[in-house]
């Protein structure tokens, strides 16, 4: 196992400079999720209009994998329809299972493919996507 | 105590993880098992397996002897007055739930008090929350001092004549502190309350004498003290056990069964419905033999020395925060590295073959009090060495460098 497989430069960049971190005033849905086994938590705010995710913001606490994944997810789904967002969530699940997946929509996500080799960390990476699913499906 | 010789008795320790010799520092979560425990479980299944308390045949007697023999061993291990004060459970969680669901629900009413501390493991917290909800009892907390210790003045202030139950962990799985449960028990008794001790983190590491502590209940898990998973025990004063109602019903625990009414066996058997964990009990007995042979006082000394060594070596690192006091602690050190999340710490250490725990350690309220969401923890046992502490320290240095580089 190589650490560089897991902690790629793109991931560390999102961890250090998270995109869409914070809250918004606009009307939105808020989803709060915890990872009870390790204490990670995320609060995701989604502004959905006419079936399109107009804005996404998050706050939370967690490791580099969970927070960088949240940063990437919010970037990836902004401006997409709910259906497109769910398709990406499914693709992300496949990525975590070790499948070859390409994200032409948002390539940064592919940096998380290494998480698959660290089974204990998959839950960290999927926390934000689970929050997204909850928010979009409601 | 010759640690290198002892290590040879633990088969699992002799392997490489990710290309490095395993350094197992997650003993507060579960300990590894010596050969003698593994073979006791195997021997039970190979030679003696049968159900207990019912078979007229030879194997049935052997299984019953193994199971009841283990109960006697546990009683001696804790210095209980008699074996009938020991109820076998799945572990500490089940033992504490039994006290909460049976004893506490029968004695607590509206406005009565249950006294805990904020450092309790979830398993010594949530059962009491449930009792409070069901009975209208109130939960009260003995506050912690800045260094994570308990002051007797606070104990005196918190426990009142309305207090029915005081439940405190003897050793904290996060702070490593040893709580003055004997003194707390004395205060509890003065107010007519019972004293429950969560011994999950103490029984594996130090001599426990329930009569000297003068506690009413004492719970522990076998798997944290070289025994198998799935077996633990509750010690309870006989007079209390006799008063308590079972919470699980079925085979093994009955005296007479009618279509509409039934009666129970005596304690402790009335609390052990269903076929018990017989092989686990045989393994636990072997674990107690092993620990007794090595000597609990020796183990205690070795671990305290190791913890002090680790505390000092880790303190020298820049950007590290260690939780809990240096003195009066058992063999574990909980810490955080600045700017590196503990999960990331644990993952990096794992790539070097070092197993530590990262997370909230089933102590979310304590984490909030420490103002962290998670911490990393290295916890030692009789087979750990100073060399392994050095491996930890140098791996943490590399973790800092890796993340400093990756983030910086």
């Amino acid at each position: 196992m190589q650490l560089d497989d897991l902690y790629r430069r793109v991931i560390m960049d999102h961890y250090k400079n998270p995109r869409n971190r914070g809250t918004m005033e606009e009307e939105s849905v808020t989803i709060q999720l915890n990872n009870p086994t390790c204490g990670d938590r995320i609060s995701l705010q989604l502004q959905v209009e006419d079936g399109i995710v107009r804005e996404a913001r998050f706050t939370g606490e967690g490791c580099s994998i969970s927070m960088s994944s949240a940063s990437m997810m919010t970037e990836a789904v902004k401006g997409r329809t709910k259906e497109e967002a769910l398709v990406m969530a499914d693709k992300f699940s496949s990525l975590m299972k070790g499948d070859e997946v390409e994200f032409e929509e948002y390539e940064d996500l592919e940096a998380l493919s290494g998480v698959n080799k660290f089974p204990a960390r998959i839950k960290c990476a999927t926390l934000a996507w689970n929050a997204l699913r909850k928010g979009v499906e409601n | 105590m010759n640690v290198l010789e002892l290590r040879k008795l633990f088969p699992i320790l002799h392997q490489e993880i990710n290309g490095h010799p395993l350094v197992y520092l997650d003993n507060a979560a579960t300990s590894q098992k010596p050969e003698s425990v593994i073979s006791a479980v195997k021997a039970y299944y190979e030679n003696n397996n049968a159900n207990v308390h019912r078979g007229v045949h030879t194997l049935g007697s052997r299984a019953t002897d193994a199971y009841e023999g283990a109960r006697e061993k546990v009683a001696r291990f804790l210095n209980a007055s008699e074996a009938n004060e020991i109820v076998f459970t799945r572990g500490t969680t089940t033992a504490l739930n039994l006290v909460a669901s049976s004893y506490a629900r029968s004695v607590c009413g509206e406005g009565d008090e249950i006294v805990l501390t904020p450092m309790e493991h979830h398993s010594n917290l949530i059962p009491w929350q449930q009792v409070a909800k069901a009975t209208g009892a109130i939960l009260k907390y003995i506050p912690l001092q800045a260094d994570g210790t308990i002051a007797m003045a606070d104990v005196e202030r918190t426990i009142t004549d309305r207090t029915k139950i005081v439940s405190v962990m003897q050793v904290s799985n996060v702070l490593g502190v040893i709580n003055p449960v004997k003194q707390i028990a004395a205060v509890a008794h003065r107010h007519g309350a019972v004293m429950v001790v969560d011994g999950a983190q103490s029984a594996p590491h130090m001599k426990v004498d329930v009569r000297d502590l003068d506690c009413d209940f004492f719970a522990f898990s076998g798997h944290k003290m070289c025994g198998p998973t799935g077996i633990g025990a509750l010690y309870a004063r006989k007079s209390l056990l006799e008063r308590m109602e079972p919470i699980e019903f079925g085979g093994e625990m009955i005296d007479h069964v009618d279509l509409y009414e039934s009666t129970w066996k005596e304690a402790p058997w009335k609390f052990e419905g269903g076929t018990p964990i017989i092989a686990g009990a045989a393994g636990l007995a072997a674990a107690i033999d092993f620990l007794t042979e090595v000597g609990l006082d020796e183990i205690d000394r070795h671990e305290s020395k190791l913890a002090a060594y680790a505390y000092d070596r880790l303190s020298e690192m820049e950007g590290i925060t260690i939780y809990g006091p240096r003195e009066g602690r058992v063999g574990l050190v909980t810490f955080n590295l600045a700017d590196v999340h503990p999960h990331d710490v644990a993952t990096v250490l794992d790539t070097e073959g070092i197993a530590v725990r990262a997370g909230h350690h089933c102590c979310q309220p304590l984490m909030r009090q420490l103002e962290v969401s998670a911490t990393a923890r290295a916890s030692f046992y009789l087979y750990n060495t100073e060399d392994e502490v050095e491996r930890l320290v140098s791996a943490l240095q590399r973790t800092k460098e890796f993340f400093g580089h990756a983030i910086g």
Side-chain angles (χ1 to χ4, degrees), chain B residues 279-328:
Chain B
L284 177 59
I288 289 174
D289 285 342
F290 174 78
L291 293 176
T292 311
E293 203 170 302
V294 178
L296 264 302
D297 288 336
E298 290 274 304
I299 294 171
D300 193 358
R301 260 197 299 279
H302 170 71
E303 289 174 11
S304 303
K305 218 176 113 203
L306 208 52
Y309 182 74
Y311 191 100
D312 291 343
R313 290 289 287 127
L314 291 173
S315 304
E316 291 161 11
M317 285 181 71
E318 216 176 294
I320 199 164
T321 308
I322 302 179
Y323 303 96
R326 182 184 183 279
E327 307 303 329

Side-chain angles (χ1 to χ4, degrees), chain B residues 121-184:
Chain B
H121 189 280
H122 294 162
S123 59
N124 193 29
L125 171 63
I126 307 167
W128 307 115
Q129 289 177 352
Q130 297 303 102
V131 172
K133 277 185 200 154
T135 63
I138 298 159
L139 297 184
K140 284 172 80 178
Y141 290 89
I142 304 166
L144 300 188
Q145 313 220 78
D147 67 354
T149 59
I150 289 172
M152 283 313 293
D154 288 323
V155 174
E156 298 275 2
R157 265 193 292 274
T158 313
I159 299 173
T160 73
D161 287 342
R162 289 304 307 266
T163 306
K164 290 281 189 278
I165 290 158
V166 180
S167 192
V168 175
M169 63 194 339
Q170 189 169 14
V171 165
S172 162
N173 62 322
V174 174
L175 301 167
V177 292
I178 303 167
N179 289 321
V181 288
K182 180 176 175 174
Q183 288 83 339
I184 299 172

Side-chain angles (χ1 to χ4, degrees), chain B residues 227-383:
Chain B
T229 53
I231 184 93
L234 173 71
Y235 156 82
R237 222 183 269 283
K238 196 175 180 192
S239 55
L240 296 172
L241 272 190
E242 282 169 352
R243 281 170 51 188
M244 284 162 58
E245 279 292 309
I247 57 170
E248 286 189 325
F249 304 90
E252 297 275 358
M253 52 77 66
I254 46 85
D255 174 35
H256 177 81
V257 177
D258 221 335
L259 280 178
Y260 299 100
E261 284 290 335
S262 299
T263 55
W264 326 135
K265 275 182 184 163
E266 307 260 285
W269 300 280
K270 67 178 172 183
F271 301 107
E272 296 177 1
T275 298
I277 308 138
I278 313 164
L284 177 59
I288 289 174
D289 285 342
F290 174 78
L291 293 176
T292 311
E293 203 170 302
V294 178
L296 264 302
D297 288 336
E298 290 274 304
I299 294 171
D300 193 358
R301 260 197 299 279
H302 170 71
E303 289 174 11
S304 303
K305 218 176 113 203
L306 208 52
Y309 182 74
Y311 191 100
D312 291 343
R313 290 289 287 127
L314 291 173
S315 304
E316 291 161 11
M317 285 181 71
E318 216 176 294
I320 199 164
T321 308
I322 302 179
Y323 303 96
R326 182 184 183 279
E327 307 303 329
R329 66 161 53 231
V330 295
L332 66 86
V333 182
T334 298
F335 60 92
N336 263 324
L337 282 186
D339 302 325
V340 191
H341 193 278
H343 299 168
D344 294 317
V345 171
T347 292
V348 179
L349 294 183
D350 184 53
T351 61
E352 301 209 14
I354 303 172
V356 299
R357 173 83 183 265
H360 53 58
H361 315 289
C362 298
C363 287
Q364 291 185 14
L366 177 59
M367 292 293 120
R368 279 189 280 279
Q369 182 151 347
L370 298 174
E371 295 178 338
V372 292
S373 63
T375 58
R377 177 186 70 194
S379 54
F380 310 109
Y381 209 10
L382 53 97
Y383 38 68

